[in-house]
Each structure stands twice: as C-alpha cells, then as structure tokens.
Amino acid sequence: MMGMRMRRGNGLIAAMIGAVLLATISAPSASAADWNGRLVLDQGHLDAIHMELSGNALSMNLREDITGNKVIRPASSVVIHVTDAAKAKVPADPAYRFLGSPGTDFWLIPQVQNPDVVWAGWDTEEIEKGQLRGDSLTLRLSGVAGPGAAVKLYSTGTFGQPVPMIDSLAGLLDITVPANAHVHANWAFSAPGVYDLTFAASAVTAAGVSVAGSATYQFVVGDLPSTTNPVPTPTVSTPTDPPPIDPPVGGNSVSQSIRASIAQGDGGLVLSVDPKDRSVVLPAASLAPSGGYWMSRGELRPVTVTDTRSGSPGWNVVGRVGSFSGSAGEFGGEYLGWKPVVSKQTADRAVVAGVAVVPGLRSGEGLGRSATLGSAPAGSGRGVAVLGAGLELNLPAATEAGTYDATLTLTVI
C-alpha cells in the first residue's frame, strides 16, 4: 500500500506518498486472547514468516499488524487461528483436484484478504537487495505435524487458475523468495485441528557465507480445543535430504551424480518496492491556468514485479486509492490520476503499461476505482519488470487548508 498525505498552506498544496508494499493495518481482533500460553490471532494481517538478516545471522519470526503496527513476535508465542469462517468446498474444476475430491470441506487462508479470516503471508522486507547472492533465499517446509498430515500453499494465476507452491505430499517443499519481498498465497488445510509447521530458510550472503534459520509456526484450524494441553497430533517428517543416486565408487577416481529439477508450479509472483525508496513528495501545488483548481505532478516510486512461475501464465498489477481524510474534511481518490510506464524489463518480455487514468476534475474517474499499472499477457512475464507512473493530482479550488491522508493499494494477480 502507499500512504498519501496532502497539506495546504498559504495558497499552496503539497502531497507526499509513502509506500509500504501490500501492508494492511487492521484493528485489533476482538477475540485475541491467550491459549495454551500463546497469543491467538484470528483476523487481520500478519507475516507468518518474517525473515531478517543481521550480519551472518538469518532469523525467522512472526510479524503482525493486528495488535499494533509491524509487531515482531517469536513464532513460539503465537497461534494462528483459522476459524470456521475460512471453511470452503473444493471446487469441481479439475485444476483444484490437488486439494481433494470436489465438494469436500477444507479451510482456506486466502491470498486476497477476507476481513473475517486471518490474512497470512511471508516477507523479506528487511533484507535489502545486494545482501544475498542472487538477491534471494530458499524457504523450505521441513516438517509437518497435524491431523491432515500435509499443508498445501498455492497462488492464484491471472485467470483464476491455482498454481501449487508447497505440497508436502506431492514433494513440493521449496520456494524461492526474493529479497525485499512481501508475498501472500492461499493456505489450504484439509481437516480441523492443531498443526505445527516447521519452515527453514537458507541463503548465501553476497560475501559467500551460508546462512540459515528455522522456526515452527502453530496453526489451529476450526475451534480452539477447550483444554490447555491438547492431545499431540501425529507427526509426519518431511525428508530434507534426497537418497544417494548411486552406491559409493572407489579407485583412482570417483564420481558423483548430480540431478537438478524445477517442478511444474514452482516459483512465485512477487510485488515489491525498495524500503529506502518508498516515498514520493509532490511539488507544491499551483493554480491551473484557468484558476479553477489546484494541480501538482510527481512520479510513483519504482514497483518491481518478479515472476518465477513455470508456464508463464502472465500477470496484472492494479492500483486503487481510497478517500483522503484530515482534520479539515475529506475528498475522494478520484482526484488522483496516473500515466503508467514500464521502465525496465528483461529482453524476452512483453510487459505493457496500463492506460492513463485522468483525475476527476478533468472528467475522469481517477484512481478512486481500480486501474491497471502494468500487465504481462499469458505466455510472457517471467523475470523482472519495473513499473512506474507519472502522478497527477487535481483538487477543487475550494479545498480547505489542512493535512489529508489516503492509501494507494497495489496488487498483483
């Protein structure tokens, strides 16, 4: 999201945009409480897996925006409660067969926020580009304990099709997470109960030092058990090392077989911004030549799309701004417009900028409605693209002096 602030004084208007990618600040959950010595979180936004790099130490915690803003907690101190508000039916579409038989129940933490369900993702926002070799790390599901004996994560493609990311029963265990990224996906649980999911992260620093970390996250699906000492659920250990391909060979020379593979569905779609370059200051507004309204122009800070998914299903980045509000009143997001541009893309891509959106004062709907910043058609989009936009703010001449805030949300699908 991008927070937007406007101030007017002495006949001048200034606006500032600060970007925090896909972060949501929610009111504290009314049902947040302690259970089994843990804080229960059942609504609002959290990064279930929050990864940071300090020197050669890679840490894994949980970061939540439910009891405060970006509160970091040890994974062992929180239970993520997936209530029955998350209960769904496996669709009849054969593409969802990996979730089970059509019509059977499952519990879903969705990729797109549902205000009645906890919204869980993962992030590396505190790891700056240049700190890790390849600007990425590997996140692995290394252990599962729970009544379903498996956990399945999948993303939703451009046309609504599911793209499996992690499925311990199918052998999909690893995903690559870029540095300075914030990711959401669909988490699917096949049965109610207590799940302990162990994730391990590993990477190589820019200096060539291997770093690793791990943590176990507890999810309770369905009702919270009434006892504070629930019966342990069966543990299913996920293999971490492949078996040897050939028996040992001796003599004057030896050989090793090395096999590499990229499974269909591996990879991900990530939208990110540089944490040190997420603010835009629009110049002080001036009266339009007609004298009928205030106007100011500026530039959106770079927005990076990283697509590592197999099959190149394509993607679409859309944005929308809410109402500006302040002590002097409020006005709608339709007064902001943009002219999107594609500032960088790999040579084999066909990324296109969205059409210009005209601010409301010029007979347009502005960004009060969702508009496309950039897109990649099906069959393209793998790699990295950087999007931007020229911003245009037009306000009525009668706008009261004061400070106004709004939020611009960018989403990639």
Side-chain angles (χ1 to χ4, degrees), residues 65-120:
D65 295 314
I66 299 171
T67 67
N69 184 17
K70 296 186 177 181
V71 180
I72 296 177
R73 300 181 183 276
S76 60
S77 70
V78 176
V79 60
I80 301 170
H81 187 197
V82 187
T83 67
D84 282 340
K87 200 171 184 179
K89 300 285 187 182
V90 176
D93 187 337
Y96 288 89
R97 196 59 51 84
F98 68 97
L99 293 178
S101 301
T104 57
D105 291 334
F106 77 109
W107 284 254
L108 176 67
I109 298 176
Q111 180 174 329
V112 178
Q113 186 174 22
N114 174 351
D116 297 325
V117 178
V118 68
W119 192 29

Side-chain angles (χ1 to χ4, degrees), residues 333-404:
E334 67 268 18
Y335 293 108
L336 183 71
W338 66 16
K339 184 177 181 180
V341 296
V342 179
S343 58
K344 179 182 177 181
Q345 60 177 310
T346 52
D348 59 342
R349 299 187 59 147
V351 177
V352 294
V355 298
V357 174
V358 180
L361 279 175
R362 289 174 50 193
S363 302
E365 296 178 340
L367 292 174
R369 293 189 177 185
S370 295
T372 298
L373 179 63
S375 61
S380 66
R382 278 179 65 90
V384 178
V386 180
L387 308 176
L391 299 175
E392 181 177 354
L393 180 68
N394 293 343
L395 293 172
T399 302
E400 294 289 341
T403 298
Y404 301 83

Side-chain angles (χ1 to χ4, degrees), residues 21 122-127 177-183 270-273:
L21 176 66
W122 56 88
D123 84 277
T124 56
E125 287 189 316
E126 307 303 322
I127 302 178
V177 183
N180 185 30
H182 189 159
V183 184
V270 178
L271 193 65
S272 60
V273 293

Side-chain angles (χ1 to χ4, degrees), residues 272-354:
S272 60
V273 293
D274 186 339
K276 293 185 178 180
D277 189 20
R278 60 178 65 195
S279 297
V280 178
V281 178
L282 296 177
S286 59
L287 282 174
S290 65
Y293 60 93
W294 295 99
M295 55 185 288
S296 183
R297 306 292 182 265
E299 297 290 331
L300 189 71
R301 304 318 303 150
V303 177
T304 301
V305 182
T306 304
D307 187 1
T308 58
R309 299 170 298 169
S310 300
S312 299
W315 47 261
N316 190 40
V317 176
V318 297
R320 180 177 182 179
V321 69
S323 295
F324 290 77
S325 61
S327 58
E330 67 176 46
F331 54 86
E334 67 268 18
Y335 293 108
L336 183 71
W338 66 16
K339 184 177 181 180
V341 296
V342 179
S343 58
K344 179 182 177 181
Q345 60 177 310
T346 52
D348 59 342
R349 299 187 59 147
V351 177
V352 294

Side-chain angles (χ1 to χ4, degrees), residues 53 56 130-135 203-209:
L53 181 66
N56 292 328
Q131 287 187 281
L132 298 178
R133 184 175 295 176
D135 280 332
V204 178
T205 68
V209 178

